[in-house]
Amino acid sequence: MNIATRSLLTAAFFAAIACAILATPQNQNPALGLAAKAQNAQVGNAAITDGATIYSGDYLSTGQNGSLFIRIGALSLELQASSSMHIYSAPYGAIAELDSGSVVYTTPGTLQNVVIVADDVRVTPTISTADMGRVRSEENTSE
């Protein structure tokens, strides 16, 4: 094999690798947290399992007798039975938009925090104090 052919094959090889790397879809939403414990729970229309990654913008829901425990750094959220919410990344932690049902939150008392929006009400725990609470949406709740 002469030098010109070898150079041409080498260039074609590296061009193919570059095209493959550029063609690989990049995840538009960075990972937000993980599902620490999931029972009868979904992300979108798919079942979610323990250890699954949660992304900003995900729609999370639980069935009857279901629950979903989410860890976002030191924050934790538990979506309780027959509940649904959208979750978004925020510079300080997360925003949970509760559509129906209930969510329990725990904050560490550091700069990381969560804001929960339900029924046009915004719940914002105090940032410098460890906190725990439950927020329930009265709209679309059959409880």
Side-chain angles (χ1 to χ4, degrees):
M1 189 181 302
N2 66 29
I3 294 175
T5 304
R6 185 176 291 158
S7 295
L8 183 60
L9 288 174
T10 303
F13 173 75
F14 285 114
I17 289 176
C19 287
I21 290 170
L22 292 175
T24 303
Q26 301 298 316
N27 189 349
Q28 298 299 324
N29 292 327
L32 177 61
L34 64 90
K37 184 165 174 60
Q39 179 181 355
N40 191 16
Q42 296 80 35
V43 58
N45 292 326
I48 191 168
T49 58
D50 295 356
T53 302
I54 304 292
Y55 295 95
S56 183
D58 277 350
Y59 176 73
L60 308 170
S61 60
T62 56
Q64 190 174 11
N65 300 320
S67 66
L68 178 58
F69 186 75
I70 302 166
R71 294 293 304 198
I72 303 168
L75 295 172
S76 65
L77 293 169
E78 181 186 0
L79 191 60
Q80 297 186 318
S82 302
S83 300
S84 62
M85 72 178 184
H86 285 87
I87 190 148
Y88 303 97
S89 179
Y92 48 81
I95 298 170
E97 186 179 284
L98 188 61
D99 296 319
S100 65
S102 303
V103 65
V104 174
Y105 67 88
T106 305
T107 61
T110 63
L111 293 179
Q112 197 172 23
N113 205 1
V114 63
V115 170
I116 301 170
V117 180
D119 301 337
D120 297 325
V121 174
R122 179 178 154 167
V123 177
T124 308
T126 303
I127 247 178
S128 60
T129 305
D131 198 6
M132 177 180 176
R134 179 175 181 257
V135 178
R136 178 176 173 199
S137 173
E138 293 295 326
E139 292 182 16
N140 304 319
T141 301
S142 59
E143 292 181 19

